[in-house]
Amino acid sequence: MLSRARLAPLALWALMLGFVLIAPAFLYPVFVMQLLCFALFACAFNLLIGFTGLLSFGHAAFFGGAAYIAGHVIKMWGFPPLLGIITGALFAAALGWVVGSLAIRRQGIYFAMITLALAQIVFFFVLQMPFTGGEDGLQGIPRGYLLGFIDLNQPLAMYYFVAAVFLVGFLLIYRIIHSPFGQVLQAIRENEPRALSLGYNVDRFKLLAFVLSAGLSGLAGSTKALVFQFASLTDAHWQMSGEVILMTLLGGMGTIFGPVVGAFIVVALQHVLSGIGSWVQVVIGGTFIACVLLFRRGIVGELARLLRISSL
């Protein structure tokens, strides 16, 4: 008989997979695709803050930068969609190496401020470069054909492609967390001086975690650009970095499924309350405050505590 510690994660896996498979039957596919892109973005960010202990205020640079690069190579260079989003993810990983190499020289709030400053430089380039479309954004990104014969202009084909990208990204993050590499990252989060004294090259591990997080964030941004056939300044704005922090903390920082839950809540509130205009941010902020006061570990974190499970 399965113990509670194993049954709860299996139940969450089954619930998530079931939702991903049947969601188009009762929800608007574009909404669910947006949800999956942001869920992957939040999971990638959680790999850095939740399992390495590094707070980045500049992850929008990787999310938005990859969206523009993927959109450009697909639209102007004729890349197929799969190769386009991989190109965007690789660009984000390379940008993450540059940003991370500079940022990891400092800790705490100084690390966060460096990531924010460098992300604003990326935002400036996105605004000024001729191929990005400036304030109008990069429009008309074609979805094309997956593997040469699957028409991604068909809603269900596009949906299951996005679902596959999300599941691959999520499984990769899950494997990283449960690998020896992931255990070292958590050791750095808990006690960096002790990890250093054990002989680990802490800066190298932190940089690799930063690059992986940036690349997976870029994968999410590239996929979102393909879904909406559009890359905008909003994707690279500092507010996007704030939103992914909100999603992660709301669901549960340092948990596996928490960012997915947090992304679902934030994206759902944005859609349901879109009719009230800018007041939607007030409602989301109030929801966040209430959850922080009632669920200090996040929703999934508190659920794990109640069930006395070490990790969900």
Side-chain angles (χ1 to χ4, degrees):
M1 185 175 181
L2 290 174
S3 64
R4 184 189 303 172
R6 296 190 63 184
L7 186 59
L10 287 175
L12 286 176
W13 270 107
L15 184 63
M16 185 181 74
L17 289 173
F19 173 81
V20 169
L21 290 175
I22 68 173
F26 57 91
L27 290 174
Y28 186 44
V30 174
F31 162 72
V32 187
M33 285 189 281
Q34 181 185 11
L35 166 63
L36 294 177
C37 291
F38 278 111
L40 179 57
F41 184 27
C43 288
F45 179 76
N46 186 49
L47 178 63
L48 189 66
I49 186 175
F51 292 95
T52 316
L54 299 176
L55 172 60
S56 168
F57 282 156
H59 257 50
F62 314 123
F63 184 80
Y68 275 99
I69 294 298
H72 179 72
V73 299
I74 292 172
K75 180 179 179 180
M76 303 305 297
W77 295 0
F79 279 30
L82 182 59
L83 183 57
I85 65 171
I86 291 174
T87 303
L90 291 175
F91 167 80
L95 181 61
W97 182 83
V98 174
V99 174
S101 297
L102 296 171
I104 63 170
R105 300 167 187 261
R106 295 292 181 267
Q107 295 180 339
I109 191 64
Y110 302 104
F111 172 90
M113 289 297 101
I114 291 172
T115 60
L116 176 60
L118 294 174
Q120 287 302 101
I121 294 175
V122 173
F123 177 80
F124 173 79
F125 276 107
V126 167
L127 181 62
Q128 297 297 326
M129 294 296 287
F131 76 90
T132 63
E135 294 182 355
D136 295 327
L138 182 61
Q139 304 180 30
I141 301 171
R143 290 181 176 175
Y145 288 81
L146 177 64
L147 304 178
F149 65 94
I150 302 175
D151 186 5
L152 294 182
N153 291 299
Q154 300 297 322
L156 281 181
M158 185 66 205
Y159 171 79
Y160 284 109
F161 172 63
V162 174
V165 171
F166 165 75
L167 290 174
V168 168
F170 187 85
L171 285 170
L172 178 59
I173 293 170
Y174 182 86
R175 183 68 190 96
I176 291 171
I177 292 168
H178 291 87
S179 68
F181 170 74
Q183 298 301 312
V184 174
L185 294 183
Q186 293 176 62
I188 293 172
R189 177 196 64 190
E190 296 298 330
N191 194 327
E192 183 174 330
R194 186 172 184 180
L196 188 63
S197 70
L198 290 173
Y200 292 109
N201 188 334
V202 170
D203 285 347
R204 182 182 175 186
F205 277 94
K206 290 197 293 186
L207 178 59
L208 186 52
F210 198 97
V211 171
L212 287 170
S213 179
L216 289 163
S217 298
L219 181 64
S222 301
T223 307
K224 178 179 176 290
L226 194 65
V227 169
F228 291 96
Q229 302 180 273
F230 179 67
S232 69
L233 288 176
T234 305
D235 297 331
H237 195 263
W238 64 265
Q239 186 175 347
M240 183 63 71
S241 297
E243 285 191 13
V244 75
I245 293 173
L246 172 62
M247 293 172 187
T248 306
L249 295 180
L250 192 59
M253 183 179 70
T255 63
I256 298 168
F257 296 94
V260 178
V261 174
F264 179 84
I265 293 172
V266 172
V267 174
L269 285 174
Q270 289 174 343
H271 275 263
V272 172
L273 302 175
S274 59
I276 64 176
S278 59
W279 282 94
V280 67
Q281 299 300 329
V282 177
V283 175
I284 292 175
T287 304
F288 176 65
I289 292 171
C291 286
V292 167
L293 293 175
L294 296 174
F295 311 107
R296 298 193 64 181
R297 297 175 179 83
I299 294 173
V300 175
E302 288 295 332
L303 178 62
R305 184 184 67 84
L306 290 173
L307 295 176
R308 296 180 182 178
I309 299 172
S310 59
S311 177
L312 283 178

